[in-house]
Amino acid sequence: MNYTSPFWLPGGHLQTIWAALYARRGHGPRPQFRRERWDTPDGDFIDVDWLQDAPGQTLLVLFHGLEGSSESQYAQAFAGFARQQGLAYAVPHFRGCSGELNRAPRAYHSGDWQEIDWILRQLRSRHPGPIVALGISLGGNALLRWAAELGDAAASVVSAVASVCSPLDLAAGGHAIGRGFNRQVYTRMFLRSMKPKALAKWHQHPGLFDREALLRTRDLYEFDNLFTAPLHGFKSTDDYWARASAKPHLHRIRIPALALNARNDPFVPAGSLPRPGEVGQWVTLWQPAQGGHVGFPAGRWPGHVCSMPEAVGTWLLQAAGLKEQAHG
């Protein structure tokens, strides 16, 4: 991806924050989603938002990031790409992220590849056309973790995958977001929604974790140690970050995969990014100097966030051999 940031948006923080809050999300009308609720095997549910779906179309699936949804700026921008290319488009919500508390004594996490597997297989059974999938930040790490776990078998489910600004080394990303400006701005932003959800989960399942200790948490390391890790079978935050990270497993991927990371991403240190020799022949690395965290704003004031979805979406279709079909 040949990305150059607008001169009036220098630096990773501005490119991140402006893209999320102020840049235009698309060039056409706001997408109107249709929601489906799927019951899960463990008695819970997930909500899937559809832009459009026809059996013969290629289906683009987007897995959102931490506390994201179909309302996130990147989900809206990819909706515009899907509409332009004539693709079906689906945004599955991780548990608790669709606006309603889920039922089970669990939530979601960065290595939730089993959930990804169940969702993609449900989509495969319902949609006879080709499928390509991408994940944003947390969702991208989980998606690449899935592709690595399945190896050759992933090709029977999807044709290609991509991750965008994913912390593929979760420890490096987790420590980075817990320091300095990141801690004051981004950590507080995430905890503002994550802690109330966790407390609602405690009321739903009293005694699930140490409520008073969670109220005192001030960063994601502490939160993951008390909530995310134990609820999902990990011994601690360190165990969770080590076992859930996709980076050590990228060489096991056997379908076309793209990992896009800006080198000025405030959440993902450039030194933690995978190098070509670490990923194997199936994985393509895009590591532009600029872009921020899921930012990549472009154009004249106030800018837009359509360039990244166009580049990533086009790569997915070409890697899957579907580019001509999408236009036709």
Side-chain angles (χ1 to χ4, degrees), residues 210-231:
D210 187 335
R211 180 180 181 275
E212 298 307 313
L214 186 128
L215 286 169
R216 295 192 295 270
T217 57
R218 294 293 179 267
D219 59 33
L220 295 182
Y221 185 94
E222 294 175 352
F223 182 90
D224 283 345
N225 217 38
L226 283 162
F227 182 81
T228 312
L231 260 64

Side-chain angles (χ1 to χ4, degrees), residues 103-223:
R103 305 184 194 112
R106 60 155 293 171
Y108 66 103
H109 63 89
S110 298
D112 211 354
W113 68 266
Q114 294 95 337
E115 187 88 309
I116 296 277
D117 186 59
W118 184 80
I119 292 170
L120 287 177
R121 290 183 186 278
Q122 290 295 309
L123 290 167
R124 177 74 285 163
S125 68
R126 296 161 187 244
H127 185 86
I131 300 176
V132 293
L134 70 121
I136 306 295
S137 196
L138 174 150
N141 182 82
L143 178 62
L144 294 190
R145 192 78 174 77
W146 169 82
E149 286 296 326
L150 265 70
D152 292 327
S156 66
V157 185
V158 301
S159 300
V161 294
S163 69
V164 176
C165 296
S166 297
L168 303 173
D169 179 339
L170 290 169
H175 290 305
I177 201 172
R179 293 193 294 261
F181 181 86
N182 288 350
R183 180 186 179 97
Q184 296 304 315
V185 177
Y186 306 118
T187 294
R188 287 185 177 184
M189 176 192 70
F190 285 128
L191 290 180
R192 240 189 333 264
S193 63
M194 292 168 69
K195 288 172 75 169
K197 285 184 182 179
L199 294 173
K201 185 60 63 179
W202 188 92
H203 285 290
Q204 188 183 48
H205 300 277
L208 189 61
F209 54 85
D210 187 335
R211 180 180 181 275
E212 298 307 313
L214 186 128
L215 286 169
R216 295 192 295 270
T217 57
R218 294 293 179 267
D219 59 33
L220 295 182
Y221 185 94
E222 294 175 352
F223 182 90

Side-chain angles (χ1 to χ4, degrees), residues 215-287:
L215 286 169
R216 295 192 295 270
T217 57
R218 294 293 179 267
D219 59 33
L220 295 182
Y221 185 94
E222 294 175 352
F223 182 90
D224 283 345
N225 217 38
L226 283 162
F227 182 81
T228 312
L231 260 64
H232 301 104
F234 301 101
K235 292 181 290 187
S236 64
T237 296
D238 293 325
D239 181 49
Y240 161 41
W241 287 354
R243 289 169 54 196
S245 293
K247 183 179 176 181
H249 304 276
L250 296 178
H251 66 281
R252 299 163 55 199
I253 292 176
R254 294 294 183 270
I255 57 173
L258 170 68
L260 166 60
N261 291 92
R263 299 188 69 83
N264 70 342
D265 188 328
F267 301 176
V268 184
S272 73
L273 298 179
R275 298 179 176 87
E278 298 175 308
V279 301
Q281 65 179 0
W282 290 94
V283 179
T284 298
L285 301 176
W286 286 356
Q287 297 176 356

